[in-house]
Amino acid sequence: MYLMSRRYAAAPRCPQAQAAHAAAAPSYPRYTREEVGRHRSPEERVWVTHGTDVFDVTDFVELHPGGPDKILLAAGGALEPFWALYAVHGEPHVLELLQQYKVGELSPDEAPAAPDAQDPFAGDPPRHPGLRVNSQKPFNAEPPAELLAERFLTPNELFFTRNHLPVPAVEPSSYRLRVDGPGGRTLSLSLAELRSRFPKHEVTATLQCAGNRRSEMSRVRPVKGLPWDIGAISTARWGGARLRDVLLHAGFPEELQGEWHVCFEGLDADPGGAPYGASIPYGRALSPAADVLLAYEMNGTELPRDHGFPVRVVVPGVVGARSVKWLRRVAVSPDESPSHWQQNDYKGFSPCVDWDTVDYRTAPAIQELPVQSAVTQPRPGAAVPPGELTVKGYAWSGGGREVVRVDVSLDGGRTWKVARLMGDKAPPGRAWAWALWELTVPVEAGTELEIVCKAVDSSYNVQPDSVAPIWNLRGVLSTAWHRVRVSVQG
Ligand code: HEM
Ligand SMILES: Nc1nc2c(c(=O)[nH]1)N[C@H]1C(S)=C(S)[C@@H](COP(=O)(O)O)O[C@H]1N2
Ligand SMILES: [Mo]
């Protein structure tokens, strides 16, 4: 009775579910996970599993209080990884509701696939099935746009992952961080020493890959790189030692005359043995206001393996590429990191430069990123109901510059409204985290909308209006106004 009084009371059962129910309860048909996986859309019907039970929830999709788009993220697979992120589903009435859609059970004899011992990626960790995968080996994936701006802090399981190489397996008790100090002295720190010898500092910071929104750039002209949508960006509360404290402890001074860089090396290495590496200017590393961390915590738990377990660098306000994961070594040098990823990648060029003419020595390495924003809801091509439409998204700028405004247009940029910004106020110049924003507007039945957003940062930097003039051969720094076309149902 309790259930029926709710807006999302179970819909009448589909014929399959009725047939299954008519048969005596214990004899449900058996399905393999692959068979369940074929039911991913309302047209093919929407099946999900919970435990070893199989459910046909097609008729519940439109009734879902969390919205149809969210339930469809789990279509064809297990509910548990998604429900783990939204505690409301732990309530008994939710399980009761689900039970009414049961159509089968999983085959008991499903053998899990044996890992391939030859595969260098065989030791990679398990991942959340909701991630949108751009490349499996190495693993590169982004949270679905539908969930990207649901939470100010991105759940660790959904945080975008950008790996260039297999994930190193690190035994925490034998882990050592090597810091090359002045005068040839080296410091070797265990994980326990890093935790106990330096005060724990916490920073909420957004990481963004230089290639975020690259797929919009390749629609103008092909570029080389992973086809990221709008999700190569995520936010976490990071905890760890300040890099500054560790460098001072190693004997470095507050300031050095001339040009110096702090170079990082990861434990992940290419087949030739070259580790992933990157560097940042010495001044940023030593500045107490720059909040650069050697992080061992992410959103209150130890770092997940994909995000650098046991220790990673977090450089707030700077392109993700400098936040080196699985950190094994820190060194100070008059030169930037010799790594391929510092020297011959992660740089911007003019649209006139192509692969025949590019000279990576002529452009500076990307450090602070430009102002960015995107619409996360609704999604391109959606048919939204008439009445009120809520547009949601994120906005962020590099270098600690705060987002001071987000403008939203529903008519391709002819007229604008100002969105409501959500998020905590940061100290001046230290706005390391994104702002989430929202705008609710009336929309008329049967119309076509071109939703556009653009952000303004505290230096009054704005995003460029179109992609072509900022096109570059590697598809980095893709920050043009984000445009999303949707139709309003008639
Ligand atoms: C068959 C599968 C599902 C069922 C039966 C279900 C059921 C429900 C129910 C009953 C609620 C309301 C809870 C309450 O307020 O008492 C709810 C809320 C919600 N669900 Fe689901 N859900 C399903 C799948 C999913 C999936 C896969 C996701 C995410 C990817 C999701 C995300 C959410 C969210 C975010 C809310 C909260 C909405 C709000 O607070 O306004 N659900 N769901
Ligand atoms: N050791 C190591 N560190 C790395 C990388 C890597 O492949 N290896 N990728 C970099 C890039 S390009 C980005 S955008 C961020 C992504 O961090 P995340 O996977 O935790 O989101 O990590 C950076 N640090
Ligand atoms: Mo990146």
Side-chain angles (χ1 to χ4, degrees):
M1 264 327 29
Y2 169 67
L3 279 174
M4 300 310 288
S5 68
R6 293 232 169 177
R7 182 164 59 82
Y8 48 80
R13 277 199 197 92
C14 70
Q16 258 164 310
Q18 263 163 0
H21 193 77
S27 58
Y28 278 102
R30 304 287 187 146
Y31 299 105
T32 60
R33 288 197 191 275
E34 201 205 322
E35 284 169 310
V36 174
R38 287 185 215 134
H39 298 272
R40 308 180 69 94
S41 68
E43 295 76 50
E44 309 151 315
R45 306 210 60 90
V46 178
W47 286 15
V48 293
T49 65
H50 189 262
T52 55
D53 290 345
V54 178
F55 305 91
D56 179 334
V57 294
T58 316
D59 302 317
F60 180 70
V61 170
E62 288 298 326
L63 304 174
H64 179 227
D69 54 341
K70 303 218 176 36
I71 206 167
L72 288 174
L73 294 171
L79 283 172
E80 287 90 337
F82 296 91
W83 279 9
L85 303 171
Y86 298 97
V88 286
H89 301 99
E91 303 280 327
H93 73 270
V94 178
L95 270 183
E96 232 173 276
L97 177 80
L98 183 65
Q99 218 47 44
Q100 305 175 48
Y101 296 100
K102 181 165 172 179
V103 292
E105 286 168 4
L106 285 172
S107 309
D109 49 17
E110 265 202 89
D116 173 0
Q118 296 306 303
D119 180 357
F121 296 93
D124 270 21
R127 275 105 184 193
H128 196 282
L131 289 167
R132 296 283 176 261
V133 178
N134 291 320
S135 124
Q136 197 58 247
K137 299 174 182 183
F139 190 72
N140 287 284
E142 59 191 294
E146 291 83 350
L147 301 182
L148 191 57
E150 284 295 306
R151 298 275 179 83
F152 183 70
L153 297 181
T154 316
N156 289 356
E157 297 84 339
L158 293 180
F159 200 99
F160 87 95
T161 299
R162 204 293 176 238
N163 294 342
H164 292 81
L165 296 159
V167 176
V170 185
E171 175 50 54
S173 60
S174 50
Y175 170 81
R176 292 289 180 281
L177 172 62
R178 171 178 157 187
V179 183
D180 293 3
R185 279 170 294 157
T186 68
L187 187 65
S188 170
L189 293 169
S190 70
L191 189 54
E193 287 165 339
L194 191 68
R195 284 172 175 276
S196 63
R197 284 205 200 157
F198 305 93
K200 183 165 118 187
H201 186 63
E202 289 189 81
V203 179
T204 303
T206 296
L207 287 188
Q208 182 181 209
C209 184
N212 191 29
R213 301 182 59 200
R214 177 180 283 131
S215 52
E216 290 161 69
M217 209 166 256
S218 37
R219 284 200 280 276
V220 168
R221 231 189 318 153
V223 298
K224 242 189 226 174
L226 296 163
W228 296 107
D229 188 19
I230 61 172
I233 183 165
S234 300
T235 300
R237 179 109 180 127
W238 307 96
R242 283 182 189 265
L243 173 60
R244 168 193 156 81
D245 292 346
V246 173
L247 290 173
L248 292 175
H249 178 78
F252 288 104
E254 291 273 355
E255 266 178 71
L256 281 175
Q257 292 308 305
E259 188 183 325
W260 292 88
H261 302 270
V262 179
C263 303
F264 310 115
E265 279 178 15
L267 284 158
D268 50 339
D270 69 20
Y276 183 88
S279 60
I280 59 171
Y282 189 82
R284 180 176 292 278
L286 267 288
S287 164
D291 289 319
V292 181
L293 289 186
L294 303 183
Y296 42 74
E297 278 179 14
M298 181 177 182
N299 292 328
T301 64
E302 65 183 19
L303 284 181
R305 288 190 59 208
D306 264 330
H307 301 291
F309 178 82
V311 177
R312 79 173 301 169
V313 185
V314 172
V315 191
V318 162
V319 68
R322 313 300 167 220
S323 289
V324 173
K325 305 191 275 190
W326 313 291
L327 185 65
R328 75 167 189 199
R329 179 167 173 237
V330 177
V332 173
S333 159
D335 302 309
E336 288 183 77
S337 164
S339 160
H340 165 82
W341 292 281
Q342 188 78 19
Q343 301 290 337
N344 296 316
D345 202 354
Y346 296 113
K347 294 185 175 189
F349 291 96
S350 164
C352 68
V353 172
D354 61 26
W355 289 104
D356 294 327
T357 58
V358 67
D359 179 354
Y360 266 91
R361 289 165 305 185
T362 61
I366 301 169
Q367 296 280 351
E368 293 184 359
L369 283 172
V371 61
Q372 175 69 291
S373 72
V375 174
T376 58
Q377 179 191 302
R379 294 260 63 209
V384 302
E388 292 223 306
L389 173 67
T390 297
V391 182
K392 286 190 192 180
Y394 64 77
W396 179 81
S397 190
R401 284 176 290 276
E402 186 187 359
V403 168
V404 296
R405 203 182 76 224
V406 173
D407 298 327
V408 178
S409 172
L410 295 189
D411 54 13
R414 279 195 320 114
T415 63
W416 299 91
K417 287 189 160 64
V418 176
R420 188 163 63 86
L421 296 181
M422 291 163 302
D424 303 335
K425 188 88 186 149
R430 290 163 84 182
W432 308 128
W434 62 15
L436 299 181
W437 54 264
E438 239 181 72
L439 177 74
T440 301
V441 278
V443 291
E444 230 176 278
T447 54
E448 301 288 320
L449 309 176
E450 189 188 359
I451 305 172
V452 185
C453 74
K454 62 182 175 85
V456 182
D457 75 15
S458 54
S459 299
Y460 281 100
N461 289 311
V462 295
Q463 298 173 244
D465 64 347
S466 56
V467 180
I470 57 165
W471 183 95
N472 61 86
L473 73 177
R474 199 64 171 86
V476 293
L477 307 166
S478 184
T479 59
W481 298 357
H482 189 221
R483 295 166 187 271
V484 171
R485 288 194 172 76
V486 302
S487 54
V488 186
Q489 291 157 10

